Amino acid sequence: MKRSTLRAWSGIHTWTSLICTVFMLMLCITGLPLIFHDEIDALLHSHDWQPAHPDGPLLSLDTMLDAALVNRPDHAPLFMSFDTDRPVVNVTSGPTPDAASRDMHFASFDRTSGNLVPGDEGFDVMHFILELHTDMFLGLPGMLFLGAMGVLLILAIISGVVLYAPFMRKLDFGTVRAQRSPRVKWLDYHNLLGIVTVAWLLVVGLTGVVNTLKTPIVDTWRTHALADLTAGYDDARVPTPQEMASLDAAVAQAEAAAPDMTLQFVAFPGGSWSTDYHYAIFLHGNTPLTSHIITPALVDARTGTFADMREMPWYNKALSLSGPLHFGDYGGLPLKILWAVLDVFTIVVLGTGVYLWGVRRKREKQGGGEV
C-alpha cells in the first residue's frame, strides 16, 4: 500500500473514531445492562402477584379493553400485548390515538378478574437507560444522530481493518509488546481487541443503525404498503373506542387466517403501527428466528370486516430482526454473556483509542518521532 494511501486511511480511521467515540462509549456502557434487560427486570420487579382466579376462565379481550378504558377514561387505546408466562394483558393508552411515546401510559390487567396488576412505582432505572441508549431523550432527532454516529463507527471499523494488515506484517497475530513503552503496549491491546471484536462490532453497529431508523421505516410501511387499504376512507375519522367493532372477533379472524402463528400484539386505529381505520393484529412465527418476524392482519375497526393479511416488506423484516440481534437476544443467556464480554472489549478499544490519540498529539507538539 502506498504511503499516501495509508495516510489517507489513517486519517479516516482517526477522525471517524474521534467524532463517534464519546457516543459509542455511552452506547456500550448503557448497552451492557440492556443485554440482560429481562434478567434485571425480573430481579427489580419481582413480586408474589397471583391471578385472582388461577384456574378460572380468561376474560374476553373486549372486557379487558373496557377495564383499561375505565382505568384511563380520558385516553384512547394504542396497543394491547400479552404476557407469555401469566394471564396478563398489557394496554398502552394515550390522550390521542397518535400520542407521542412520552405521553403514553402503560398498565397491566389480570385477565382472570379484570383488576389492575400492581406495578413497581417510582423511578424505572432500566427504562431510563433504554431511552438514553435509544435516543438520548431527544426523540427522532436523537435516534437519527446516533444512527449517524453508527455510520462513522462502521467507517472507523473498515479503516481499522485496512490499517491492521500492514501494521501486523512484522508481528505475529496476538502479539502484545508488554515490555515496551505504555504507548506501544496499549497500541497492541487496541489492535488485538479491535480485530477480535471486528465482526461482532460490525453486526452491532449495522443493527444499531437500522434500529435508529425505526420511525421512518414504520412510517414508510404505513404510508406506502398499506395505502391501498385506506383508499376508501378519505373523509373518515379515527373511530372512538365506542365505535369500534369487537376486538375478540377481529383477533379470531386474524388467528384463523394464520393458524400456525401466535398472537403478539394489537395496534389500534390511529397509531403508527396501524392505519387510521383498522385494527392491526400482529402475529409471529414459532421458531427462534420467525418469532421475531411479525405479520399483520388488518381488520376494519368499525365494521369488523377482515381486510387483508400481508407479509411485511423487507425493510420491516430487517427492523424486526435487528433489535434482538443488536442485544444478543437469540441464543439465551450464553449468547448474552458473549455479547457482554465483547461489549467490554469494545469499551477497552474505544478507551485505548482516545489514549493513543492523546499521546500522539502530545508527541507531535513536542516534536518527537513515532515509536
Side-chain angles (χ1 to χ4, degrees), residues 132-320:
L132 177 60
H133 185 89
T134 303
D135 60 17
M136 301 186 298
F137 310 105
L138 297 175
L140 180 59
M143 293 177 71
L144 296 178
F145 176 80
L146 290 177
M149 294 301 101
V151 172
L152 290 180
L153 172 67
I154 293 167
L155 289 174
I157 295 169
I158 294 171
S159 57
V161 171
V162 172
L163 294 170
Y164 182 77
F167 175 82
M168 292 299 294
R169 277 182 304 193
K170 297 180 180 180
L171 295 172
D172 294 330
F173 177 79
T175 298
V176 176
R177 293 167 287 179
Q179 306 306 317
R180 299 284 296 276
S181 67
R183 176 190 175 279
V184 173
K185 179 180 69 175
W186 285 113
L187 175 62
D188 288 342
Y189 276 124
H190 179 82
N191 290 328
L192 173 61
L193 294 178
I195 206 66
V196 166
T197 60
V198 64
W200 175 83
L201 198 51
L202 271 174
V203 169
V204 171
L206 285 169
T207 54
V209 170
V210 172
N211 290 336
T212 65
L213 299 175
K214 175 181 177 180
T215 298
I217 286 174
V218 174
D219 286 347
T220 300
W221 167 73
R222 187 173 185 263
T223 303
H224 294 91
L226 302 182
D228 60 311
L229 295 179
T230 63
Y233 296 86
D234 296 339
D235 299 323
R237 56 180 174 77
V238 178
T240 65
Q242 294 73 29
E243 295 171 328
M244 294 181 192
S246 168
L247 179 58
D248 286 284
V251 169
Q253 292 183 77
E255 291 179 325
D260 56 340
M261 301 183 77
T262 300
L263 176 65
Q264 181 163 327
F265 72 95
V266 176
F268 289 87
S272 58
W273 282 91
S274 183
T275 75
D276 287 346
Y277 322 107
H278 295 86
Y279 292 122
I281 301 158
F282 288 86
L283 304 103
H284 63 78
N286 297 311
T287 68
L289 180 62
T290 60
S291 64
H292 296 291
I293 299 177
I294 52 177
T295 300
L298 284 297
V299 176
D300 189 305
R302 289 181 183 273
T303 66
T305 303
F306 186 84
D308 196 9
M309 171 174 275
R310 54 183 59 178
E311 191 173 330
M312 284 289 209
W314 67 268
Y315 46 85
N316 282 82
K317 290 182 179 179
L319 177 64
S320 296

